Amino acid sequence: MHRRSLMKTALTAATLTALGATAAFAENPVLKIGFVGVTSGPAAAWGISNQRSMEVRADWINETGGYTIGDTTYDIEIVSFDDQKDPKRAIAGMEKMAQEGIHYVVGPNVDDGAAAVRPVAEANGIMYFPYAFPKELYQAPASNAVLGMVANYQSGPAIYKHLMESEGVETVAFIAANESDPLSQRDGGVAAAEALGLEVVSSSVTYQVDTTDFTPVLTPVMRAQPDLLVLSGVSPANAPQLIRSARELGFQGLISTETAQDAGVLAEGAGDLANGFISVGGASTPELASPLMNEFVARYTEMFGEYNDESNTKVYALEYILETLKANPAAIDDVDTFQATMDTFEAPNPYMNGDATLRYVGMTSFGQRRQVAVPLVVNVYQDGAFETLFVAEVD
C-alpha cells in the first residue's frame, strides 16, 4: 500500500506539473503565421532559410513572453508547407492556410508558385510575402502580395553598373535553366544590360535543372568570350556545377547571379573555383548588423548547427507582418486594413545599426508600396565565405 501511495502521489505531482506547464504555455492566445515554399529539391536552400528564420524568431518571441498587438499578447506559431517548387502544391499549401484561418503567409519562393496562389490568397483574405519577381503580382489591380526581397530587375542593373565601372566589363552572356523563373530573370537581365550599354554576346543557351554535365551546355557560351557570365535565376544546387564547368573550360571572366546562394554548397561543389563568384547576399553586413541581428544569427546557428547568409534577408518578412499588425491591431484578421496601413507604416529597424526604419517601398517599380525595404547587399565568394562587394538601396 505504501508503494502504491507513493506512485499515486508521484503521478499526481507529474500530472499537476504537466497541467501547470500547459496552462503557462496557454496563457497567451496563438497567432498563426504561414509559410508556403520550397524546402526540398535543388532550390530547397531558399525555402529552408525562410522557414528556419521564422521558427527562430517565433521561438525567441515566445521565450521572451510573446508579442503584443493592441491589448493582446500572442505566442507566435509558424505553420509550414513544402510546395516542392510545384505550383499545384503551392495552391494546396495556400488552401491549407485558408482552412486554418491564417491571414498572413510568407512565400512562395518562385514565380510560378507565387502566381498560382494569387487567386486563393485574394479570395480568402490572405496577405502573402513571396520571393518572386513578376511585376504583375505587385502592381494594381493586384494588392495582396508583398515582395520580400530585392528583385533581379533592381539588383541586376546595380551589379552590372558596378562591374562596368570597377572591372571594365563590356560584354556579357546569360545562361538559364529551361524554367519560367530563370528564363524570366534572364530576359530582365538582358534588357537591363542592354539599357546600360553592355553588349550581350549570348543569351539563348538553356539547360535542364537535372543536368549533371554542364560542359556541353557551356561550350558555345565560352566561345563568345564574355567579360561577364550571368547565371540567371540559378538554384543553389546548380550554381557550383556551372561555375566548376566554366572554370574547367578555361573561362577567366567574372561570374554572377541575382539569386541568393549558400556558401557551404559552393564550397562543397566548386571549392576554390567559386572564388570571385558574385551573388545577392542577405540584407546585412558586419557593419550594418545590430546587436539584435547578431543575436538572431547566434540563435539560428545554435538551433540548426549552421547559418545561411540569405537569412539576413529572410528574417524580415515575419518582422514586417508583426510590426504592421502592431501599428494597426484591427488588421489582425482584416487584410484591407493591413493594406491601408502599409502606405504610412514606419517602425525602427531592429536588425540594423543607426536610424534605419522598416517601411514599404516599391513605388518606382510597381506604382504602389508592395515591397519590404531591405538593403541590397551584393557579395563575392572567397575561400569558403561571402565578403561584401557593395551595399545599395532600392525603391
Side-chain angles (χ1 to χ4, degrees):
M1 292 291 293
H2 178 65
R3 184 182 176 205
R4 288 181 181 176
S5 296
L6 286 174
M7 290 178 67
K8 183 177 180 180
T9 301
L11 286 170
T12 301
T15 302
L16 288 171
T17 301
L19 287 172
T22 302
F25 180 79
E27 283 180 2
N28 295 336
V30 172
L31 175 61
K32 294 182 179 181
I33 305 294
F35 167 67
V36 176
V38 54
T39 57
S40 60
W46 292 337
I48 289 172
S49 175
N50 271 122
Q51 182 174 332
R52 288 180 173 181
S53 297
M54 295 174 73
E55 290 173 350
V56 169
R57 186 63 180 127
D59 284 355
W60 186 1
I61 289 169
N62 297 342
E63 176 189 313
T64 52
Y67 198 92
T68 301
I69 298 172
D71 297 327
T72 305
T73 299
Y74 296 89
D75 285 327
I76 308 302
E77 178 183 341
I78 305 304
V79 180
S80 298
F81 187 93
D82 177 13
D83 67 17
Q84 300 175 7
K85 204 166 172 272
D86 180 341
K88 293 180 180 178
R89 292 268 306 169
I91 292 171
M94 195 64 80
E95 289 174 341
K96 170 184 168 66
M97 301 301 153
Q99 290 165 4
E100 295 204 22
I102 295 171
H103 291 282
Y104 299 95
V105 176
V106 176
N109 296 103
V110 297
D111 295 1
D112 284 352
V117 303
R118 177 182 168 185
V120 179
E122 292 179 349
N124 290 278
I126 295 174
M127 291 295 297
Y128 66 112
F129 287 64
Y131 297 79
F133 300 151
K135 290 186 177 182
E136 58 268 24
L137 292 175
Y138 314 109
Q139 293 173 326
S143 59
N144 287 46
V146 181
L147 178 57
M149 63 184 297
V150 177
N152 72 303
Y153 40 79
Q154 297 166 332
S155 61
I159 293 172
Y160 308 155
K161 184 177 180 181
H162 176 85
L163 295 179
M164 290 170 70
E165 295 173 350
S166 64
E167 302 293 338
V169 167
E170 296 180 350
T171 60
V172 58
F174 293 82
I175 184 170
N178 192 22
E179 292 186 328
S180 60
D181 284 25
L183 293 175
S184 174
Q185 292 186 40
R186 177 203 62 188
D187 293 345
V190 168
E194 290 177 340
L196 288 169
L198 287 169
E199 179 186 356
V200 178
V201 295
S202 176
S203 63
S204 61
V205 175
T206 62
Y207 59 88
Q208 300 303 313
V209 291
D210 59 354
T211 299
T212 55
D213 181 6
F214 284 93
T215 299
V217 176
L218 282 166
T219 297
V221 182
M222 297 298 95
R223 293 196 190 105
Q225 298 182 332
D227 298 328
L228 171 65
L229 173 63
V230 177
L231 310 181
S232 298
V234 68
S235 71
N238 288 144
Q241 298 172 302
L242 282 157
I243 294 167
R244 175 175 288 279
S245 293
R247 295 306 186 202
E248 289 177 347
L249 284 168
F251 182 62
Q252 298 295 316
L254 298 164
I255 305 177
S256 75
T257 185
E258 287 93 58
T259 51
Q261 300 297 312
D262 187 312
V265 174
L266 290 170
E268 182 178 351
D272 291 346
L273 293 177
N275 284 347
F277 178 51
I278 298 163
S279 64
V280 173
S284 188
T285 68
E287 296 76 23
L288 294 176
S290 68
L292 198 78
M293 175 63 88
N294 292 332
E295 184 172 355
F296 166 74
V297 173
R299 285 174 174 268
Y300 187 116
T301 304
E302 181 179 359
M303 183 176 290
F304 297 109
E306 60 182 3
Y307 187 73
N308 186 338
D309 174 81
E310 188 183 356
S311 291
N312 293 345
T313 298
K314 299 298 178 63
V315 70
Y316 274 98
L318 178 59
E319 209 72 34
Y320 266 91
I321 292 169
L322 296 178
E323 285 288 331
T324 308
L325 293 176
K326 180 193 287 187
N328 192 341
I332 195 81
D333 55 6
D334 182 356
V335 299
D336 290 337
T337 301
F338 189 97
Q339 292 171 9
T341 305
M342 292 170 64
D343 286 336
T344 56
F345 168 80
E346 191 168 290
N349 186 332
Y351 299 116
M352 290 181 64
N353 287 321
D355 57 358
T357 59
L358 302 177
R359 67 192 192 284
Y360 293 97
V361 296
M363 293 300 295
T364 300
S365 295
F366 313 124
Q368 57 180 349
R369 299 186 186 279
R370 288 298 182 272
Q371 182 176 10
V372 301
V374 294
L376 167 60
V377 177
V378 178
N379 287 337
V380 57
Y381 176 89
Q382 191 67 39
D383 298 331
F386 290 122
E387 300 176 0
T388 304
L389 187 63
F390 68 90
V391 179
E393 291 186 357
V394 299
D395 178 15

